[in-house]
Amino acid sequence: MKQLILAEKPSVARDLARVLGCKQQNKSYIEGPKHIVTWALGHLIELKMPEDYDKQYKQWRLEDLPIIPKHMGLKVIRQVSHQFRAIEHLSKRKDIGELVIATDAGREGELVARWIMEKVRWQKPVKRLWISSQTDKAIRDGFNQLKPAKQYDNLYQSAVCRSEADWLIGLNVTRALTTKYNDPLSAGRVQTPTLAMILEREQEINSFQPKDFWTIDATIGMLKASWERNGEKRLFEEKKATDIVSKVKGQQAVVSSLQKKEKTEAHPMPYDLTELQRDANRRFGFSAKKTSSVLQKLYEQYKLVTYPRTDSRYLTKDMENTMYDRLQGLSSGYREEVQPLLKQRGNVVAKKVFNDSKVTDHHAIIPTDEPLHLGDLDNDERKLYDLIARRFLALFYPAYRTETLTASLSVAGETFVARETLVIDPGFKVLSGKEEESPRALANLKEGQTLSVKEVNAEKKLTEPPSRFTEADLLTRMEKYSLGTPATRADIIERLLGSEVLDRRNNKLHPTPKGKQLIDLVNDELKSPELTAKWEEELEAIARGKGNPKEFLENIRKQTKQLVMEIKTSSQEYRAHNLTGSKCPECGKLLKEVKGRDGKVLVCSDRECSYRRRKDPKLSNRRCPQCHKKMELHNGKAGTYFQCKPCNVVEKAEDKKKKVTKREERQLLKKYSANNKEDEGFGNSLADALKAAMKDKK
C-alpha cells in the first residue's frame, strides 16, 4: 500500500517527491513506488459564504444581520476546484493505505489539510510530517519520525475557532457598517484594534503642545561636558540658562568625582518572524509583507533558513550538535567570520539559547546546513539572509564588554558631566564590520584636578511630539497586545492599507480621513486590544488542549449579536471623505475618488450602481469626426465607448477583429496543403488559404 502525501503547494511537493524517489510526473501529483505526492494551492476549502446558506444574503441588507449559521459549512473554492477533484480522486484509490499531512507545520497549515480531509471524507490512518526546514536531510529525518495526526487535533480545533470567529465578527460588522453608512467600511477582530492604536498615537501628536527648553554645553580643558542637575539636562526657563552661562564662563572647574562602570551586553537572541520584520523595516525600510515574502523564498526555494513563521527565539538542546554543520554551510559566504569558529568545533558561547521550555511549535529562524551560494540571491534576499546569518554567528562570539568613565566637574556651584565609553572586548559586535573608537580624554584625569572653562553655550530647543508608528513600531505593539500571530500580522497591516484607512508615507503609517471616521463608528469593545488579546490567549489555550472550543465560539456568537445591534442603533453620522463634486452619469449620485490598479478612479457613491471610470480618462487613437482630436475611452454599463466632451460626441466601440497570429497562419497553411488545392476558393497565396479557412470554419 502507498502513502498519499499532501503538501501545501507544488514547489514543496516537488522537493518531497524528489527526496522520496517519486519520478512519475502527473498533472496534479507525482508518483513513486511507495508514495504519491500531491498538493494543495494554499486553501482549497473555505467556510461557506452567507449566500450559500440563503440566496437572499447575496444582497447586503442591514435588516438581515447578524448572519449566524447554526453549523458553519465548508465549500470548495471555485478557482482551485480542479486540484481538489484530483485529490478527491486519489483519496479513493484502493492502493493507498494512509495519508501524511505535509502542509506547513503551523495552525493555518493544519487547517488547509484537515478541511480537505473533511470534504473528501477521509477514513484511513493519518500521520503528520512536522519539520522546521526544507533541506533533504530534514525531509528524510522527518519521514523517519512521522507523528500521529491526533497529536495535532487541538491545533486544528484552535484553527477552526480562529477562522469561524473571524467570519462571524468580521463579516457581520463589515456588512453592518457598509450598509448603514453606504460606503465600503471594513472591521475585524484584529484589524480594528490595530487601527485604533494608530489613531490613539495620532491624537497624542495632535494634542501635543511643544515647549522651549535649553541645554548648556561647555569645553572644559580638553573635555566636552554638559550641564546636569539631579540627572536633568534641560532647563525650561531662558533666564536660568543665561544666568548659569554667565556664572561659569571663564571660571575654573574642579574634578569632583570619577566613576568607572563596566557593562556587559548580552548576545542578541536569534530572530523570530516579528523581530526580523522589525529589524528589516528599521534597516532597509522593508514592509512586514515584503520581509515575509523574501523570507519564504529563502526557506522554500533556496532552503537556506529554517521555518519562518515562528514566535520563538530559542533552540532546542538537541540542536547543539548541528551547529558545526550549519557553520560549514555558511562558510563560502562568510569565510573570515566562520573559519575561527570551525577550529573551535562550532562551540556556542551563548548557551542560554538552548532552552526546550521556550520552544513551542518551531524554534528560532537560523541558517540550515545547505551550502550557501550568495550569487544565486538577489539584493533583497542577500540583505535579509545577512541579518539572519550574522545574528546566528553572534552566538559563537563572546559578549560585548565596555567600561564607561564619568567625570563630574564643579564650576561655581554648578555641575557639568563628561562621559566616555571604552570598548574592553568587541565580542560579537566585530560582526558588524564597524571599528569603534575608544576616546581617552578622561583616562588621565584625577579627582581634585583643576581645569579652565574655555567655552560655554546655551542652546534653545523644542520638545518633540511622539513620532508616528513605523511598521517596526506597530509590530512591537501588536506583539505586546497579542494582536494576530507572527504569520498574520503582515497581512493585517496590508489589509488596513488596502482598505484606505491607513497610508504609508516615508516608512511612517498615517491614518486617513476614512480611518479616523471608521474608528468613531466602531464599537468601543471591538477597538480594545485587551479584548482581542483575551481571544488570542483563549485560542492558544485551545491549541495546547487547555481551552474549550465550544465555549469560545458561543461567546463569539453572543459578541457578534451585540456588536451588530450597537451599529444598528447608533446615531453616528458618516460622510465619505473622498466624495467629488462630479455626478454619476448613470444614476446622478456623487462620484467618489478611489485608488485603483491603474491610478485614481472615479466610482459611484451608490453601492448599487456599478459606474466606474478612470479619473484621467485614457486617450484612444480614435479621432473625433468633428474636431479630429483624440477621443477618450470609457467603460460603462452599456459597454466600452469613445467620447469627445468638447463636441459632445459619443461613439460605441465596435468589437475588435481578432488578428491571426503567425502560429495560426502556419497551422492554416499546413491544414490547407497541396492535397486540398481542389477545394473551392483555394489558390496559391496565404490570403487564399486564410479565406478558405475562414469559410470552412463558418
Side-chain angles (χ1 to χ4, degrees):
M1 301 292 279
K2 294 184 177 183
Q3 277 183 334
L4 178 61
I5 297 157
L6 176 60
E8 192 157 328
K9 54 190 77 169
S11 56
V12 176
R14 285 193 290 272
D15 288 334
L16 298 177
R18 177 176 50 76
V19 173
L20 295 171
C22 303
K23 296 179 180 178
Q24 189 180 332
Q25 183 79 46
N26 292 279
K27 187 177 179 181
S28 53
Y29 62 95
I30 308 167
E31 190 163 356
K34 297 179 181 178
H35 310 88
I36 298 172
V37 183
T38 188
W39 53 85
L41 299 165
H43 275 288
L44 301 184
I45 311 296
E46 65 181 354
L47 291 170
K48 285 182 177 178
M49 295 306 288
E51 55 268 28
D52 297 316
Y53 297 101
D54 192 326
K55 287 183 181 178
Q56 72 167 13
Y57 293 146
K58 193 165 188 179
Q59 187 175 357
W60 291 23
R61 287 189 295 263
L62 188 60
E63 56 268 26
D64 291 335
L65 301 174
I67 301 166
I68 303 178
K70 287 182 181 178
H71 172 72
M72 303 288 277
L74 300 175
K75 69 171 186 176
V76 179
I77 299 171
R78 185 174 55 82
Q79 294 88 335
V80 289
S81 58
H82 62 283
Q83 187 62 23
F84 171 76
R85 288 195 299 272
I87 296 171
E88 187 177 35
H89 175 73
L90 287 170
S91 70
K92 291 177 169 48
R93 277 181 47 168
K94 292 180 180 178
D95 61 339
I96 288 176
E98 67 177 3
L99 174 72
V100 175
I101 299 174
T103 48
D104 278 2
R107 187 166 73 182
E108 209 58 27
E110 197 68 23
L111 193 65
V112 167
R114 297 291 188 111
W115 273 357
I116 292 171
M117 288 167 57
E118 190 171 328
K119 285 300 282 183
V120 302
R121 296 193 176 103
W122 183 266
Q123 299 295 328
K124 297 174 186 177
V126 186
K127 289 182 180 174
R128 188 53 159 111
L129 175 71
W130 195 271
I131 55 177
S132 291
S133 62
Q134 292 287 325
T135 64
D136 291 7
K137 183 178 183 299
I139 292 170
R140 279 192 292 269
D141 290 346
F143 272 96
N144 288 332
Q145 301 168 31
L146 290 173
K147 303 176 187 299
K150 279 192 175 182
Q151 277 186 220
Y152 302 94
D153 284 353
N154 292 324
L155 183 67
Y156 168 55
Q157 288 300 324
S158 170
V160 170
C161 288
R162 195 274 312 156
S163 186
E164 292 190 10
D166 285 348
W167 191 102
L168 289 164
I169 289 177
L171 184 142
N172 278 289
V173 174
T174 296
R175 283 198 177 201
L177 290 168
T178 300
T179 51
K180 171 110 177 171
Y181 301 106
N182 197 31
D183 199 42
L185 297 170
S186 176
R189 185 179 62 87
V190 178
Q191 69 185 57
T192 301
T194 303
L195 176 62
M197 289 194 298
I198 294 169
L199 263 297
E200 187 182 337
R201 174 55 60 91
E202 192 70 15
Q203 288 168 359
E204 290 172 10
I205 294 168
N206 293 336
S207 61
F208 181 80
Q209 296 292 328
K211 291 181 181 179
D212 293 336
F213 71 93
W214 287 261
T215 59
I216 303 172
D217 296 313
T219 303
I220 302 174
M222 300 299 290
L223 307 177
K224 298 289 183 186
S226 300
W227 175 88
E228 281 188 26
R229 183 179 290 168
N230 299 325
E232 178 60 73
K233 298 179 180 180
R234 301 176 298 172
L235 289 157
F236 288 92
E237 293 178 32
E238 186 177 13
K239 187 176 183 307
K240 285 185 177 180
T242 54
D243 287 349
I244 291 171
V245 170
S246 302
K247 188 162 62 166
V248 303
K249 188 175 281 186
Q251 298 294 318
Q252 292 292 305
V254 178
V255 179
S256 56
S257 71
L258 284 170
Q259 291 181 341
K260 290 183 180 181
K261 189 176 181 181
E262 195 172 307
K263 183 181 176 183
T264 300
E265 186 178 327
H267 298 79
M269 301 301 284
Y271 288 112
D272 61 8
L273 177 57
T274 303
E275 178 65 14
L276 182 60
Q277 287 170 327
R278 276 196 290 258
D279 226 0
N281 181 255
R282 291 189 198 106
R283 298 192 188 200
F284 314 127
F286 285 7
S287 69
K289 185 70 175 174
K290 180 174 181 176
T291 299
S292 294
S293 300
V294 174
L295 185 60
Q296 189 67 23
K297 281 186 74 177
L298 291 173
Y299 166 68
E300 197 175 284
Q301 181 178 333
Y302 299 109
K303 308 177 192 349
L304 291 174
V305 300
T306 57
Y307 185 77
R309 292 189 287 278
T310 177
D311 60 356
S312 175
R313 300 185 65 187
Y314 290 84
L315 308 174
T316 54
K317 288 178 182 177
D318 61 355
M319 294 178 70
E320 191 166 1
N321 58 14
T322 70
M323 296 295 109
Y324 185 82
D325 292 339
R326 295 175 195 274
L327 287 172
Q328 281 192 316
L330 275 168
S331 60
S332 63
Y334 296 84
R335 191 170 300 279
E336 286 184 21
E337 296 89 343
V338 169
Q339 285 305 319
L341 308 180
L342 290 174
K343 290 176 184 176
Q344 298 167 18
R345 302 303 300 167
N347 179 49
V348 173
V349 176
K351 297 290 185 185
K352 65 177 181 178
V353 74
F354 300 110
N355 189 334
D356 290 350
S357 65
K358 297 288 183 84
V359 179
T360 50
D361 294 334
H362 295 283
H363 56 69
I365 302 167
I366 60 172
T368 64
D369 55 9
E370 191 79 6
L372 172 64
H373 302 288
L374 277 176
D376 294 344
L377 307 182
D378 65 25
N379 192 38
D380 289 343
E381 289 160 357
R382 281 191 191 196
K383 284 179 178 178
L384 204 63
Y385 183 79
D386 189 63
L387 287 181
I388 297 165
R390 291 188 184 279
R391 182 63 67 93
F392 172 70
L393 289 171
L395 300 173
F396 300 85
Y397 282 78
Y400 175 67
R401 291 172 56 229
T402 58
E403 184 180 71
T404 301
L405 303 176
T406 304
S408 295
L409 302 110
S410 296
V411 190
E414 300 295 336
T415 301
F416 284 76
V417 177
R419 291 184 179 86
E420 284 180 355
T421 300
L422 312 176
V423 177
I424 299 171
D425 186 347
F428 61 84
K429 289 206 173 182
V430 297
L431 294 165
S432 67
K434 297 175 186 175
E435 289 189 17
E436 295 188 41
E437 292 184 8
S438 293
R440 294 285 177 181
L442 299 182
N444 299 320
L445 279 184
K446 294 178 181 177
E447 285 189 21
Q449 188 175 340
T450 304
L451 301 167
S452 300
V453 177
K454 294 182 178 179
E455 191 178 339
V456 60
N457 293 303
E459 186 180 354
K460 182 181 177 182
K461 297 176 182 177
L462 270 174
T463 56
E464 294 184 355
S467 59
R468 288 186 173 87
F469 288 135
T470 62
E471 284 197 37
D473 301 326
L474 186 57
L475 287 165
T476 301
R477 285 296 189 95
M478 292 174 78
E479 185 178 45
K480 178 183 176 181
Y481 289 105
S482 298
L483 295 179
T485 66
T488 61
R489 286 177 190 134
D491 289 329
I492 291 159
I493 295 171
E494 291 301 319
R495 198 176 303 142
L496 290 169
L497 290 162
S499 59
E500 298 184 350
V501 295
L502 279 188
D503 199 11
R504 188 192 282 126
R505 299 199 293 268
N506 298 323
N507 202 29
K508 299 280 186 181
L509 297 170
H510 297 250
T512 65
K514 181 178 179 179
K516 291 173 184 176
Q517 286 194 85
L518 175 60
I519 282 298
D520 291 336
L521 301 175
V522 172
N523 324 61
D524 289 339
E525 222 176 357
L526 194 58
K527 287 186 276 192
S528 162
E530 286 81 9
L531 177 66
T532 305
K534 178 176 171 287
W535 286 338
E536 286 294 342
E537 284 172 15
E538 288 178 26
L539 288 171
E540 191 61 31
I542 291 166
R544 303 275 166 252
K546 296 176 182 177
N548 187 328
K550 189 176 179 182
E551 189 178 307
F552 174 81
L553 288 173
E554 277 302 316
N555 289 334
I556 290 290
R557 287 164 182 260
K558 287 177 188 174
Q559 200 86 38
T560 301
K561 290 175 185 176
Q562 181 189 330
L563 293 170
V564 170
M565 184 55 65
E566 285 180 26
I567 294 169
K568 280 184 171 183
T569 56
S570 171
S571 58
Q572 291 270 15
E573 292 185 358
Y574 173 85
R575 177 179 169 80
H577 70 286
N578 51 354
L579 284 175
T580 67
S582 305
K583 290 188 176 180
C584 174
E586 295 182 5
C587 71
K589 300 277 179 70
L590 289 175
L591 293 173
K592 292 188 303 184
E593 184 183 292
V594 299
K595 287 181 182 177
R597 288 182 181 177
D598 303 321
K600 290 181 178 176
V601 178
L602 292 175
V603 300
C604 184
S605 58
D606 188 345
R607 291 185 304 107
E608 302 298 322
C609 178
S610 60
Y611 179 79
R612 181 183 183 93
R613 73 173 173 83
R614 286 170 61 97
K615 187 181 179 187
D616 302 314
K618 188 178 178 182
L619 288 177
S620 69
N621 288 325
R622 180 176 290 207
R623 300 278 177 175
C624 172
Q626 294 181 19
C627 67
H628 303 294
K629 290 183 179 178
K630 288 185 175 181
M631 300 175 77
E632 295 174 356
L633 179 64
H634 295 277
N635 289 306
K637 270 186 179 177
T640 305
Y641 61 92
F642 299 95
Q643 183 180 28
C644 179
K645 284 185 179 176
C647 303
N648 199 23
V649 172
V650 177
E651 293 182 358
K652 190 173 179 181
E654 301 89 2
D655 292 334
K656 291 183 180 179
K657 292 181 179 178
K658 188 181 175 184
K659 291 183 179 179
V660 180
T661 64
K662 293 287 184 185
R663 184 182 177 187
E664 287 172 330
E665 285 180 3
R666 289 195 298 272
Q667 288 174 341
L668 287 167
L669 283 171
K670 188 175 179 182
K671 182 176 178 182
Y672 291 90
S673 59
N675 296 334
N676 294 325
K677 277 191 177 180
E678 64 274 10
D679 287 354
E680 184 183 349
F682 188 87
N684 292 320
S685 69
L686 175 61
D688 292 330
L690 291 172
K691 185 178 176 183
M694 290 302 110
K695 185 177 178 182
D696 185 60
K697 191 174 181 182
K698 285 179 184 177

